Amino acid sequence: MIRLNDLQIGYRIGSRVIRAVDGVTLTIPDGCIVGVAGESGCGKSTLMKAIYGDIRSPMALLGGSIDYGMKGADGRPVTTDTIRREWFRSISYIPQSSMNSLNPVIRVRDQFIDFPGTDGNKKRVLERARAYIGKLGLPPEAMDSYPHQLSGGMRQRVMIALATFFEPALIIADEPTTALDVVVQKEILMLLMDVQERMGNTILVVSHDMGVHYQVTDKMLIMYAGRVVEYGDTESVFADPQHAYTKMLIDSLPTIGDDSMRGVLASAAGAGGDRAFRVEPELIEIKPGHYVARPSLAGVAA
Amino acid sequence: MGVLQYVAKRLGQYFAVLFVGLTITFLIPRLLPTNPIDGYIGQIQARANGALSGNDIALLRANLEELYGLKGDVLTQYLSFLKRVIFQFDFGPSFTYYPQPVSQIVFTALPYTIGLLMVSTLIAWFLGNVVGLVAGYFHTKRAASILEVVGIMLYPIPYYILAVTVILVLSYLIPIFPLAPSFPVGQMTLQKAGMIIYNSLLPAITLILAGFGWNILSMKALAVATTEEPYVTYSRLKGATNWTRMTGYVFRNAMLPQVTALALSLGTVFSGALLTEMLFSYPGIGLILRTAASSADYNVLYGAITISIIAVATAGLVIDLIYPLLDPRIRHR
């Protein structure tokens, strides 16, 4: 169980402080997949970095605390200051840019053993890793390859293998499928769910794709302007969103067969309906070379 | 492309470069309007106060043409030139030090030039890259930017000014090294080798200082850019140590363009030799080239230039053969 207590994270730029995460208090139960959504700049990446413990200047912990609910090797509870020692032991990370997150001039196998989190006996690690990547749908030869010899999907599988190999309690996945095509995206997400089911760890998934969240997550965390606007079971959040912003995000997903929102700007409709408008078919030249479809406010049933 | 094919292709290029180089060295002096044999006969005639008869001169001309490979038309000369150079490495005798063969003069000087310039270029590359790597990897730390200042200060100083300054400081103001070094000849002994190394230190220091600055600046820029690569960030988030990240991640990737730069600077070693060896009276190819050029010693010029062409092309070949070992993306194309 991870508890965030009034967490405040900011960026210090000169004498200015930009509050990217502005007082977040919530509890993440063990063994569930939590989806994090929100527009760019809402603070979700900052929150993930803070939970991962990667707080480096100009980023700073301004207030509050994180209670990881786990004990380190020395038997004391892990805090923001000591979480680094747990990297790729009990907390791991799946980066966004799988395409270039592997060192291009070093074999994949060597990237399984070049950090302290790994077991001291490198030979044993490699033997186990070779068997392990087979379970994730990678051929054992992938271990002996250089990254450029693997496809994007295979590389992301390697990233997942690296992140899950040490069976961490918490995995942070920062947009793990953005760079991949739709078919591979689905495979990777299924793989992630599979691994989670087997190991029972907690996964935080950041994504802009509400469809991904609906399919994969148990809980949803919606952020806006550095604050959490809605947090709850995914089923419940999607079926009955309470916050206007959550409604907008969900309405931005096109629904097959439902034409009621067609031609209506989703965000405007979600904001209360009074600003909803239809889009006229003709373009008007408003300035030389600048065309716009004039919105008509009349006759719209919000 | 297989490894063998790659090597074969590169070797083919190597021999093509050598062939073109030899052909150009053969052609250029022949484009001159003067004939060295006419000049030489004129000299002898003057020395003999015009006592040589027409018959003697014809005989002399025939002998000289034979000796210096100037017999027959250009094509015949070219073929016999190639035959002699490729199979016997024979450039004929030197004009100035007749009858000493050119190959002997060149081979005596070659180890000096290669020893001094190659070694100091490699040391400058290595030191510059280490300093540049540390300066680039820790570019957010203030102490590291001091390292870069070393590069910024050294890089713009013209080589000859640096050389004269080093001579002035290290052999005149603080006389650690001799102003006029002597290089022993004959059978090599341990003592003589020590003396040669001692006398080579001064030009070596200058060359290292001159090459050092550029390597620092270049490596620093590369290292800063590489530090921002996603794979370096990811290795940091894996908890990899600074040492692993700096060597295995940043350096292994940032060194690749630097290796190319090393190949290019090894290629210019012989043009650097000219100035260095003149300034430090160092008995290498550069000094021979200069003496030969001022006394119109064509055969020695041929020999020295040919050996430079071979050395530069070989350095390029070696680097190209090593490169795939450093960058797997080239190996597996």
Side-chain angles (χ1 to χ4, degrees):
Chain A
M1 188 146 61
I2 296 162
R3 232 189 289 264
L4 311 180
N5 309 310
D6 190 28
L7 192 66
Q8 295 164 43
I9 313 285
Y11 292 94
R12 289 212 171 92
I13 293 150
S15 56
R16 267 189 339 140
V17 174
I18 294 156
R19 291 178 172 269
V21 171
D22 199 4
V24 169
T25 303
L26 57 92
T27 304
I28 300 163
D30 282 339
C32 65
I33 302 185
V34 179
V36 184
E39 64 197 40
S40 298
C42 71
K44 56 190 191 311
S45 284
T46 305
L47 182 65
M48 292 305 112
K49 273 191 193 169
I51 294 176
Y52 194 64
D54 180 29
I55 302 174
R56 300 203 308 164
S57 172
M59 189 176 154
L61 183 66
L62 302 175
S65 66
I66 303 168
D67 178 6
Y68 289 94
M70 49 173 126
K71 283 191 166 60
D74 54 0
R76 279 190 285 179
V78 171
T79 64
T80 319
D81 296 326
T82 59
I83 187 76
R84 271 161 194 271
R85 283 183 227 150
E86 299 303 319
W87 283 358
F88 279 73
R89 262 192 249 261
S90 44
I91 179 165
S92 69
Y93 172 78
I94 300 171
Q96 178 176 8
S97 46
S98 65
M99 295 311 272
N100 20 12
S101 286
L102 289 168
N103 189 344
V105 297
I106 289 181
R107 286 181 203 276
V108 169
R109 61 164 186 254
D110 296 323
Q111 306 193 33
F112 266 83
I113 49 173
D114 62 357
F115 49 97
T118 190
D119 177 343
N121 185 337
K122 313 241 147 154
K123 219 174 149 189
R124 192 170 62 204
V125 175
L126 283 183
E127 261 168 43
R128 280 182 46 222
R130 209 174 281 271
Y132 181 71
I133 63 163
K135 283 190 212 156
L136 302 192
L138 283 166
E141 301 89 72
M143 285 294 269
D144 305 314
S145 318
Y146 289 97
H148 72 275
Q149 294 171 297
L150 305 175
S151 69
M154 286 166 97
R155 276 184 239 182
Q156 192 60 303
R157 273 170 205 269
V158 170
M159 303 316 289
I160 289 178
L162 265 164
T164 56
F165 179 57
F166 304 97
E167 309 203 348
L170 176 64
I171 299 170
I172 292 173
D174 189 0
E175 306 194 30
T177 58
T178 18
L180 305 169
D181 67 70
V182 186
V183 178
V184 181
Q185 264 188 29
K186 187 167 181 207
E187 285 173 17
I188 293 293
L189 290 171
M190 301 304 266
L191 178 67
L192 209 55
M193 287 172 78
D194 233 36
V195 170
Q196 193 271 340
E197 205 164 304
R198 224 180 312 153
M199 296 182 182
N201 28 30
T202 306
I203 303 185
L204 299 180
V205 184
V206 176
S207 180
H208 283 288
D209 189 336
M210 294 305 280
V212 166
H213 284 305
Y214 185 71
Q215 280 186 9
V216 174
T217 62
D218 303 319
K219 280 180 165 301
M220 276 304 292
L221 177 64
I222 313 289
M223 289 187 72
Y224 182 75
R227 297 209 164 102
V228 173
V229 295
E230 198 155 344
Y231 177 52
D233 292 336
T234 304
E235 291 278 327
S236 167
V237 169
F238 271 85
D240 184 19
Q242 294 300 309
H243 196 278
Y245 184 70
T246 315
K247 275 188 198 142
M248 277 195 250
L249 277 183
I250 292 169
D251 285 346
S252 70
L253 265 184
T255 319
I256 298 173
D258 175 11
D259 271 355
S260 67
M261 297 303 285
R262 196 173 164 81
V264 178
L265 215 60
S267 62
D274 56 324
R275 276 166 52 219
F277 47 74
R278 241 167 239 298
V279 179
E280 293 296 314
E282 305 90 32
L283 289 178
I284 301 159
E285 190 166 16
I286 221 148
K287 278 187 272 177
H290 185 164
Y291 297 88
V292 67
R294 180 88 8 134
S296 76
L297 290 166
V300 176
Chain B
M1 192 162 62
V3 178
L4 274 178
Q5 260 172 300
Y6 174 77
V7 173
K9 192 179 154 204
R10 193 57 191 80
L11 275 175
Q13 276 176 9
Y14 172 68
F15 289 117
V17 166
L18 287 187
F19 182 74
V20 171
L22 282 179
T23 307
I24 292 174
T25 19
F26 171 81
L27 282 179
I28 285 181
R30 278 169 179 75
L31 296 176
L32 289 172
T34 56
N35 182 340
I37 290 179
D38 286 342
Y40 195 56
I41 288 174
Q43 272 178 36
I44 292 176
Q45 184 72 288
R47 240 178 273 168
N49 289 327
L52 292 174
S53 69
N55 208 14
D56 289 339
I57 290 178
L59 206 65
L60 192 61
R61 181 179 294 275
N63 275 336
L64 285 171
E65 280 184 345
E66 174 78 46
L67 198 56
Y68 296 122
L70 293 172
K71 214 165 84 176
D73 58 74
V74 174
L75 193 68
T76 327
Q77 287 181 25
Y78 179 56
L79 289 176
S80 77
F81 168 79
L82 285 183
K83 201 177 93 195
R84 279 182 5 196
V85 168
I86 293 172
F87 294 107
Q88 295 145 14
F89 209 76
D90 172 18
F91 294 94
S94 155
F95 285 89
T96 320
Y97 305 103
Y98 187 86
Q100 206 181 9
V102 168
S103 49
Q104 195 191 329
I105 297 179
V106 168
F107 280 125
T108 320
L110 191 62
Y112 283 95
T113 296
I114 289 190
L116 175 66
L117 283 121
M118 295 251 170
V119 169
S120 50
T121 304
L122 287 171
I123 292 176
W125 187 84
F126 181 77
L127 288 180
N129 279 315
V130 168
V131 173
L133 174 68
V134 173
Y137 184 77
F138 296 105
H139 63 99
T140 47
K141 304 238 179 353
R142 183 154 304 188
S145 52
I146 294 171
L147 291 175
E148 195 194 356
V149 172
V150 176
I152 294 175
M153 274 166 52
L154 280 175
Y155 175 57
I157 305 176
Y159 175 72
Y160 46 91
I161 292 184
L162 189 69
V164 171
T165 312
V166 169
I167 294 174
L168 195 68
V169 172
L170 289 181
S171 58
Y172 184 71
L173 293 179
I174 317 163
I176 308 173
F177 297 104
L179 256 177
S182 61
F183 290 88
V185 286
Q187 193 67 38
M188 192 59 70
T189 62
L190 208 62
Q191 198 200 350
K192 278 183 186 169
M195 199 168 156
I196 290 175
I197 290 173
Y198 171 69
N199 284 331
S200 305
L201 280 177
L202 201 58
I205 289 170
T206 318
L207 284 167
I208 291 169
L209 283 178
F212 191 47
W214 184 86
N215 279 308
I216 294 179
L217 295 184
S218 163
M219 186 61 184
K220 194 238 166 187
L222 286 164
V224 168
T226 312
T227 319
E228 306 295 322
E229 289 285 341
Y231 50 81
V232 179
T233 307
Y234 180 67
S235 73
R236 184 172 63 76
L237 295 177
K238 275 201 300 192
T241 56
N242 265 327
W243 176 255
T244 309
R245 266 149 53 208
M246 190 165 83
T247 56
Y249 283 73
V250 176
F251 182 66
R252 275 293 272 109
N253 284 283
M255 75 182 281
L256 298 172
Q258 287 293 85
V259 171
T260 311
L262 175 67
L264 293 176
S265 63
L266 283 180
T268 57
V269 150
F270 283 90
S271 53
L274 194 68
L275 197 55
T276 309
E277 291 173 4
M278 277 164 61
L279 285 166
F280 292 93
S281 33
Y282 187 84
I285 297 277
L287 206 61
I288 286 183
L289 209 60
R290 177 179 172 261
T291 325
S294 57
S295 60
D297 198 343
Y298 291 97
N299 283 352
V300 172
L301 276 179
Y302 270 146
I305 291 172
T306 305
I307 205 82
S308 322
I309 291 172
I310 293 174
V312 168
T314 309
L317 175 74
V318 169
I319 296 277
D320 266 8
L321 293 181
I322 289 175
Y323 210 85
L325 299 178
L326 302 174
D327 190 348
R329 285 165 294 188
I330 292 177
R331 202 183 317 164
H332 297 281
R333 190 156 296 157

